[in-house]
């Protein structure tokens, strides 16, 4: 399936495109960058421009000057108007599959988004942030650089996230604080009330992961979360 690229869009050197992508008016995509299949990239989106690092290189990528560790974007993402995704400095900046990045959200350098992540309007992710799969971040939330948000977490709008957010929790405020368990998210991942009750101590850091009770996909995801390396700021 052919890509549909508006004639005003700029696709620089070093950009690899899969199939079936839509790229809207005045979008700017510069390399190094690899984009998968079936993505919708809206007007004025900017992907692959340099990291916001005062001492780092600022190449004229739209004229073929390439620098940085690149951007990797998966499949079936919807990237709305004025979204920005910056080049990585130590690793590629990554967006997984089936994410929805709403208008004016920002993915800073070296950020990693898992699959099925939602960034609401004007969410700002500082550099080196990790956002695991199935996370929903509310409108105008700011995440401090080197932050980490666990799988299935929900962040309320207008929050300021300064520390690690645990898996499948609800977090809100400035500074952001955990207020409960994201039972809706767990239900969507195939957990009934009994399973959620058994899982709750683990999510609160007070128990072991009841992996045998969980759907396989969720079990694998939470095992990976449990085995994560300590967060270094």
């Amino acid at each position: 399936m052919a890509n549909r690229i508006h004639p005003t869009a700029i696709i620089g050197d070093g950009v690899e495109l899969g199939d079936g992508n839509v790229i809207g008016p005045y979008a700017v995509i510069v390399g190094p960058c690899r984009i998968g299949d079936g993505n919708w990239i809206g007007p004025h989106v900017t992907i692959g421009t340099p990291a916001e690092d005062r001492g780092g290189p600022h190449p004229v990528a739209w004229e073929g000057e390439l620098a940085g560790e690149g951007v990797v974007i998966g499949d079936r993402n919807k990237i709305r108007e004025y979204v920005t995704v910056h080049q990585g400095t130590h690793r590629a900046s990554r967006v997984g599959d089936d994410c929805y990045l709403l208008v004016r959200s920002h993915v800073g350098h070296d950020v990693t988004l898992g699959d099925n992540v939602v960034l609401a309007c004007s969410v700002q992710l500082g550099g080196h942030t990790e956002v695991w799969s199935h996370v929903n971040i509310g409108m105008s939330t700011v995440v401090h650089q080197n932050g980490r948000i666990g799988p299935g977490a929900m962040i309320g709008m207008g929050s300021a996230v300064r520390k690690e957010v645990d898996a499948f929790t609800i977090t809100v405020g400035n500074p952001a604080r955990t207020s409960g368990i994201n039972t809706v998210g767990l239900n969507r991942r195939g957990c009934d009330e009994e399973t959620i009750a058994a899982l709750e101590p683990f999510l609160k850091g007070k128990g072991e992961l009841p992996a045998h009770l969980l759907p396989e996909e969720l079990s694998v995801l939470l095992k990976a979360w449990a085995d994560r390396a300590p967060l270094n700021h």
Side-chain angles (χ1 to χ4, degrees), residues 33-55:
C33 179
R34 186 169 74 250
I35 296 175
D37 302 331
N39 297 285
W40 190 97
I41 298 173
H44 297 279
V45 168
T46 304
I47 298 172
T49 46
E52 291 180 325
D53 178 358
R54 292 184 64 175

Side-chain angles (χ1 to χ4, degrees), residues 65-88:
E65 298 176 7
L66 304 183
E69 294 301 315
V71 175
V72 177
I73 293 176
D75 302 330
R76 300 177 304 278
N77 298 287
K78 294 180 175 63
I79 303 177
R80 296 299 303 267
E81 299 86 342
Y82 297 98
V83 167
T84 51
V85 183
H86 284 174
Q87 284 278 339

Side-chain angles (χ1 to χ4, degrees), residues 107-182:
V107 177
H109 63 86
D110 302 85
V111 168
T112 298
L113 302 187
D115 299 333
N116 195 33
V117 170
V118 176
L119 305 183
C121 300
S122 300
V123 167
Q124 308 293 299
L125 302 180
H128 303 277
T129 293
E130 297 177 20
V131 180
W132 286 52
S133 295
H134 309 300
V135 166
N136 191 316
I137 304 181
M139 184 186 309
S140 299
T141 289
V142 177
V143 181
H144 195 279
Q145 60 263 36
N146 297 293
R148 182 156 61 192
I149 299 176
M154 175 168 284
I155 312 296
M157 63 181 179
S159 297
V161 179
R162 305 178 188 178
K163 61 180 183 179
E164 184 174 87
V165 174
D166 288 327
F168 286 97
T169 55
I170 298 172
T171 298
V172 66
N174 183 3
R177 300 182 186 278
T178 298
S179 61
I181 301 299
N182 183 9

Side-chain angles (χ1 to χ4, degrees), residues 1-4 17-22 35-39 75-76:
M1 186 175 181
N3 294 306
R4 298 171 61 186
L17 288 174
D19 299 322
N21 297 293
V22 173
I35 296 175
D37 302 331
N39 297 285
D75 302 330
R76 300 177 304 278

